[in-house]
Amino acid sequence: MAVDEGKLNDFMGRFVGDLGATLSAPLVLIGDRLGLYKGLADGGPQTAAELAARTGTDERYILEWLSNQAAGGYVEYDAGDDTFYVTEEQAFCLADQTSPAYLPGGMQVALSVCLDIENTERAFRTGASIGWHEHDHNLFEGTERFFRPGYVGNLVSAWIPALEGVEEKLAAGAKVADIGCGHGASTVLLAEAYPNSTFVGFDYHQASIDVARKRAAEAGVSDRVSFEVARAQDYPGTDYDLVAFFDCLHDMADPEGAIAHVRQSLAADGTWLLVEPQAAETRAESIASPVGRVFYGASTQICTPAGRDGAPGAALGAQVPEATWRDLVTANGFTHFRRATETPFNRVFEARP
Ligand SMILES: C[S@@+](CC[C@H](N)C(=O)[O-])C[C@H]1O[C@@H](n2cnc3c(N)ncnc32)[C@H](O)[C@@H]1O
């Protein structure tokens, strides 16, 4: 077979870009952890020496880091006076942890799957599961830091209002359960927005629940939020006005057991808020989508192995078509199911008994 030189060059160009991005992933986290992006955002155009002094870091390393970041388009370089700076947009995504577009948490998730490669390779051979709790700890913190900005930007302003009658109930005082809550980012944001309501976050992962309790205390909402270790398939409590699942049902080995349990834990007029990754209706469309590669990367190394945890293991993966959710939800006790709203990363479903 003859190799087409143009196509070969195109492919190699793509690979080199990916290789550069992969080698830069730890450097994004280092920039985040050492406050390098923030130092650039706060200080304006500056030399490597100035950024090193501002951040208490080593000038030689900073010069190399800045050059890598500029080559990747994460910071800008002015060759005239040998200074580096960030644009408003770069700062919005990289320097401001409170921004709804803050991105470095995503790189922390990417780092965690690199650190877990031995386990993942073994699972490919054996078909074994990898439970959420078996991953490198960077996954837990990275997920919180990657997802929280999306919740800050959408949860209270768009997702809750998209549900029928839920905002009013939360404002008046409702009983809410947040299932698979992880570090509790969504639970705490809801508790801050609706002080008359009471919230309980459940997750089967003890270490995540410990962090969630700390987050509630730091936010000063422990009076109305509690966190407990429990599985989605048998968490305690009944008559919840709202049960929420943020980006976790597809990770569960027994999603149908979880759905059936939500149904019996809800009040008769209660609502189930199901947030799931954005996905197309067919594999071909998901593959072609701009975020398909990210989702399938996470799905292969995190969601699919988690879904196989325990027998029989549904392993839905992260790209579940809406039609599949509709079938699963309506087959397990719900009569009402609709897509209430969406973002480029998430679909937000509303279900009622
Ligand atoms: C992708 S994380 C999402 C965490 C959190 N909802 C968020 O948005 O930041 C999935 C979470 O589901 C939890 N999980 C997985 N299977 C579970 C189960 N059967 N019962 C309860 N939690 C579960 C994991 O421990 C993990 O915290």
Side-chain angles (χ1 to χ4, degrees), residues 29 104-114 138-139 142-143 146 298 302:
L29 284 176
M107 286 298 189
Q108 194 171 359
V109 171
L111 175 75
S112 80
V113 297
C114 293
N138 277 289
L139 177 62
T143 299
F146 192 36
I302 304 165

Side-chain angles (χ1 to χ4, degrees), residues 316-341:
L316 288 168
Q319 291 294 273
V320 182
E322 180 170 341
T324 304
W325 284 131
R326 182 182 301 281
D327 289 349
L328 286 171
V329 169
T330 54
N332 285 283
F334 288 87
T335 59
H336 167 92
F337 178 85
R338 75 177 174 103
R339 192 191 318 177
T341 185

Side-chain angles (χ1 to χ4, degrees), residues 132 143-144 147 151 179-182 186 202-205 208 230-233 246-248 251-252:
W132 182 263
T143 299
E144 174 191 18
F147 288 0
Y151 302 153
I179 314 301
C181 63
S186 50
F202 294 115
D203 198 291
Y204 88 109
H205 185 223
S208 288
R231 292 178 346 121
Q233 292 78 7
F246 292 94
D247 242 316
C248 58
D251 287 318
M252 295 181 188

Side-chain angles (χ1 to χ4, degrees), residues 2 9 35 59 116 173 195 199 209 289:
N9 286 337
E59 179 186 338
D116 281 333
F199 302 84
I209 288 296
S289 119

Side-chain angles (χ1 to χ4, degrees), residues 1-26:
M1 263 188 356
V3 169
D4 179 303
E5 202 178 321
K7 288 182 185 169
L8 180 68
N9 286 337
D10 286 350
F11 181 78
M12 288 179 70
R14 168 181 277 264
F15 189 89
V16 167
D18 289 351
L19 184 58
T22 306
L23 284 166
S24 306

